[in-house]
Amino acid sequence: MSTSRSVSPSRRGILAAGGALGIGALLAACGGDKGSAGANGGAEGGPWAFTDDRRKKVSLKSTPQRIVAFTGTAAALHDFGIDDRIVGVFGPTKLKNGKPDPQAGDLDVDKVTVIGNAYNQFNVEKYAALRPDLLVTNMYEPGALWFVPDDSKDKITALAPSVAITSSRVPLARIIERYAELAQALGADLNAKKVTDAKARFEKASEALRKAAKSHPVKVLACSGSPDLFYASNPGINADLMYYKSLGVDLIVPDHLDKGGYFESLSWENADKYQADVLLLDNRTATLQPKELAAKPSWTKLPAVKAGQITPWSSEPRFSYAGAAPLLESLTKAIETAKKVN
C-alpha cells in the first residue's frame, strides 16, 4: 500500500490566522444546537451508547441524528442502511471530474457536505457548522483517527464524540462485523433484504476465492507504485490481505518491512525482488496506475506485467459486505485466469 498509513504527508495548517476564535464561537453555538437536536431525537428510543475499538464508550441522550464520517466509513454505513443521518464526509469523495471517488461506494456524494476531499484538508469551521452529533472513522494505528489531522484533532474532537473502528491487524470479515454492529446500534435493520443479499454474496464470493486459490495455485503480490518507490505490501497486517490469505491465497510476505509493518519500500531497480505470478495493484487515486507505470522499464520487465496479470487492489476497502464482495470476485477471476510465469 502507499505511504499514507505509516508516513503522513507534510502537515498544513487548516485555519487561517485568527481562525481559532471563529472555532471557539462555533463551538459555543454548537453546544446549544446539539442539545435541541438530542431532544428531538429522543423519540428514537432514549439514551444511546456504543463502545468503539479504543474501548471508549460514547454515551448520548439519544441516537445520533447528524453523523460526519470518513468517506469510506460513510459508504460502509450506507451499505448497512444508515443514509439520511450522514450529513458530512471527509476523505477522498469526488474525483477531479466531479464523479464519486471509488471509496465513496454507493454514497450519494451530492447529498453530503464534503469537509475535506484529501488528506489534511479537514475544514474545521465547515465541520462545526454541521452541528455534528458523532464523528466516525477508521483506525489503522491504535488510537489514531483516520484522516483527522493531528494539528486540528483537539478542535475537531471537542465538537462531537468520536467512534473509531480498527481497520488493520484483524481480518476483513471481523471489521465488517464491527461496522454491522455500529450500524445496528445506529438503527439499521441487519435483516433488511439489501443487507442479507449482500452478506450472502460476500459468503459465496469467499468460498469461490477459497476454491480458486486451491485449484489455481499462483503467487500473488499486493503492491503499490509511487514515482520513486515500489511498495510490496504485507498480508500479515492489511485486513483484506489477511482475509485472502486465510482463504488460501498464496500472498507473498515481504521480508524487510518498513516501520509500521504495512509494506517493504523498494527502489524501482529492485522491483523484481519478489517473483509474483499476479500483481494486486493499489488502485487509489494517489498511486501510480498501469498507464503511468508503463514509463518505468523495471515495471514493464516484471513477468506478471508482461503476462498482463495485473488486477486492481482497493487497499482501503469499504468495510461492508456490499463493498467487499466485488473485491473477492475480482481477485477470484484474476487467479482463475492466471498462469504461472515464474
Side-chain angles (χ1 to χ4, degrees), residues 271-335:
D272 61 352
K273 177 178 178 179
Y274 299 107
Q275 302 302 306
D277 301 305
V278 175
L279 294 177
L280 195 54
L281 182 66
D282 191 341
N283 69 350
R284 288 177 298 172
T285 52
T287 64
L288 298 184
Q289 299 308 303
K291 186 177 179 180
E292 300 155 315
L293 289 168
K296 294 188 175 295
S298 52
W299 167 261
T300 58
K301 290 178 182 177
L302 295 176
V305 175
K306 287 182 178 179
Q309 296 179 172
I310 308 166
T311 192
W313 174 35
S314 298
S315 64
E316 287 179 40
R318 193 161 96 239
F319 295 114
S320 67
Y321 297 115
L327 308 182
L328 292 160
E329 292 164 352
S330 176
L331 181 55
T332 297
K333 183 178 179 180
I335 289 175

Side-chain angles (χ1 to χ4, degrees), residues 29-292:
C30 193
D33 287 344
K34 283 174 66 180
S36 60
N40 291 337
E44 298 241 340
W48 182 87
F50 185 83
T51 300
D52 75 358
D53 290 343
R54 297 169 296 179
R55 297 184 180 178
K56 287 189 176 183
K57 184 177 181 179
V58 175
S59 298
L60 299 171
K61 291 181 180 179
S62 61
T63 303
Q65 299 298 304
R66 300 183 65 78
I67 300 168
V68 175
F70 171 67
T71 302
T73 296
L77 291 174
H78 171 83
D79 289 340
F80 283 112
I82 301 300
D83 189 2
D84 292 342
R85 281 179 281 159
I86 298 172
V87 296
V89 296
F90 54 95
T93 307
K94 292 185 178 181
L95 301 174
K96 290 181 180 179
N97 61 10
K99 293 182 178 180
D101 186 279
Q103 290 199 57
D106 296 328
L107 192 68
D108 188 339
V109 298
D110 293 322
K111 285 188 177 181
V112 293
T113 298
V114 181
I115 58 177
N117 199 54
Y119 189 83
N120 218 22
Q121 289 185 0
F122 196 114
N123 188 315
V124 187
E125 291 179 320
K126 189 179 287 188
Y127 175 61
L130 286 173
R131 310 185 319 279
D133 294 323
L134 187 69
L135 181 147
V136 188
T137 190
N138 294 330
M139 184 171 66
Y140 286 98
E141 294 298 322
L145 300 177
W146 188 234
F147 267 68
V148 173
D150 289 340
D151 56 5
S152 52
K153 180 179 66 176
D154 291 345
K155 295 183 181 74
I156 293 166
T157 55
L159 289 163
S162 60
V163 162
I165 302 296
T166 292
S167 306
S168 65
R169 298 179 176 83
V170 292
L172 175 69
R174 176 54 190 149
I175 300 173
I176 293 174
E177 289 171 2
R178 281 294 282 154
Y179 267 106
E181 290 168 9
L182 174 58
Q184 187 173 42
L186 290 168
D189 178 9
L190 299 187
N191 292 317
K193 188 175 188 301
K194 170 185 172 181
V195 180
T196 57
D197 283 355
K199 186 175 183 181
R201 181 181 174 186
F202 174 82
E203 292 171 346
K204 181 180 179 181
S206 296
E207 187 56 33
L209 180 56
R210 188 193 302 277
K211 290 179 179 177
K214 185 175 182 179
S215 60
H216 297 81
V218 290
K219 286 191 174 296
V220 179
L221 177 66
C223 57
S224 183
S226 74
D228 300 320
L229 295 169
F230 179 71
Y231 300 98
S233 291
N234 178 18
I237 195 169
N238 290 278
D240 53 343
L241 303 183
M242 288 179 73
Y243 187 62
Y244 302 158
K245 198 168 180 65
S246 75
L247 295 174
V249 177
D250 188 2
L251 277 154
I252 292 171
V253 181
D255 58 24
H256 191 68
L257 297 170
D258 293 11
K259 183 180 179 180
Y262 284 100
F263 49 76
E264 177 178 355
S265 300
L266 298 165
S267 65
W268 277 106
E269 290 75 13
N270 294 313
D272 61 352
K273 177 178 178 179
Y274 299 107
Q275 302 302 306
D277 301 305
V278 175
L279 294 177
L280 195 54
L281 182 66
D282 191 341
N283 69 350
R284 288 177 298 172
T285 52
T287 64
L288 298 184
Q289 299 308 303
K291 186 177 179 180
E292 300 155 315

